[in-house]
Amino acid sequence: MDLERYIRDVPDFPKPGIIFKDITPLLADPAALAAAADHLAEPYADAGVDVVAGIESRGFIFGALVAERLSAGFVPVRKPGKLPCETVAASYELEYGTDTVEMHRDAVAEGHKVLVVDDLIATGGSLAAACKLIGQCSGQIVGISLLIELCFLNGRAKLDKYDVHTLIQVAGE
Ligand code: AMP
């Protein structure tokens, strides 16, 4: 199935010069949604994944579907101040300033095998920060599975320690 057909390019959103990859047509199509989740999970079917970590907010949608396919649990990686119990936190650079992600400290146990899932990798900053959180809990990252890779931003360079699996590669804008 050609999943790329279900991704809509929206020029100049949320600001001029950005081509936003809108995944809502894919989410709305039952067969495309199921195929995306199957393909995100597939390479890790025998990896013994204990939990899938999904990054707020589109990573929650795919992460939960992948967790179900791998018979694994799901862990939310959230924006600051959203999680009620003790958290670990990691910050990353934005074009202007920094951003932070948080995870419950007890969400990943020492040695737990973790698969990280999100919708898209751009600069890779948020994924690298999510991986740091898992490291802080002594979890073992078995891979990173993503729907879309914006190859021209070379976000992979920040994740070179990990197995990064992407379903749709966008070469240039
Ligand atoms: P980054 O930390 O730069 O890799 O950005 C990752 C997050 O920003 C992704 O999970 C997306 O949700 C969002 N994002 C960045 N660029 C785009 C884009 N061109 N289209 C849609 N979402 C984007």
Side-chain angles (χ1 to χ4, degrees), residues 16-60:
I18 303 288
I19 299 178
F20 189 83
K21 298 287 176 188
D22 177 21
I23 60 163
T24 60
L26 185 142
L27 298 180
D29 186 278
L33 181 60
D38 287 346
H39 293 315
L40 288 168
E42 229 160 48
Y44 305 100
D46 299 318
V49 173
D50 295 299
V51 291
V52 172
I55 304 176
E56 188 167 359
S57 55
R58 281 165 272 165
F60 290 179

Side-chain angles (χ1 to χ4, degrees), residues 18-21 58 92 118-126 150:
I18 303 288
I19 299 178
F20 189 83
K21 298 287 176 188
R58 281 165 272 165
Y92 58 99
D118 204 357
D119 65 328
L120 180 145
I121 177 169
T123 65
S126 51
L150 303 184

Side-chain angles (χ1 to χ4, degrees), residues 49-56 59-60 63 73-78 83 87-91 101-118 125-146 159 161-163:
V49 173
D50 295 299
V51 291
V52 172
I55 304 176
E56 188 167 359
F60 290 179
F74 177 78
V75 168
V77 172
R78 299 211 64 180
L83 291 166
T87 55
V88 285
S91 295
V101 285
E102 293 184 348
M103 185 177 82
H104 273 148
R105 183 176 284 283
D106 64 2
V108 171
E110 189 177 342
H112 256 180
K113 291 187 176 176
V114 183
L115 176 67
V116 181
V117 171
D118 204 357
S126 51
L127 278 163
C131 291
K132 241 191 252 173
L133 299 179
I134 293 153
Q136 286 178 52
C137 296
S138 303
Q140 184 196 335
I141 295 170
V142 299
I144 300 173
S145 202
L146 308 160
L159 305 166
K161 286 191 289 196
Y162 308 114
D163 177 57

